[in-house]
Amino acid sequence: MGDKPIWEQIGSSFVQHYYQLFDADRTQLGAIYIDASCLTWEGQQFQGKAAIVEKLTSLPFQKIQHSITAQDHQPTPDSCILSMVVGQLKVN
């Protein structure tokens, strides 16, 4: 990974960590979100750590596995990283 730009390294590491948590125990995702975080899930919007974790933990499937087929990470002018992830979901 050393030959990739730092934003790609950070983005890839974050995506791996996020989806490992999502697949293993969605309740642990609360550590990633803050009260200013926003989530849109199938057209519904959720704001804040508590609302997002409540939504993610109330999803109707018990087990899920993410299979990432592509990811792209770009730096933003305000020193953030914008990530796009494409893949497949396998549930129950």
Side-chain angles (χ1 to χ4, degrees):
M1 256 189 349
D3 58 338
K4 292 183 180 180
I6 190 67
W7 63 84
E8 285 189 24
Q9 295 175 40
I10 293 168
S12 293
S13 294
F14 175 79
V15 166
Q16 179 182 4
H17 178 66
Y18 183 88
Y19 287 110
Q20 282 178 343
L21 284 178
F22 198 112
D23 293 352
D25 182 3
R26 285 176 268 166
T27 64
Q28 299 301 310
L29 290 172
I32 291 177
Y33 291 101
I34 61 173
D35 289 333
S37 296
C38 297
L39 170 76
T40 301
W41 186 278
E42 296 182 342
Q44 291 183 305
Q45 296 181 340
F46 303 89
Q47 183 170 3
K49 180 181 194 171
I52 292 170
V53 172
E54 181 180 343
K55 174 59 181 177
L56 295 177
T57 57
S58 70
L59 294 172
F61 45 82
Q62 298 302 313
K63 293 185 179 184
I64 186 167
Q65 181 183 0
H66 290 82
S67 176
I68 298 169
T69 55
Q71 54 184 305
D72 183 45
H73 311 282
Q74 298 296 321
T76 65
D78 55 351
S79 299
C80 293
I81 299 169
L82 179 65
S83 297
M84 172 69 80
V85 181
V86 178
Q88 298 177 335
L89 302 176
K90 299 173 186 173
V91 296
N92 291 16

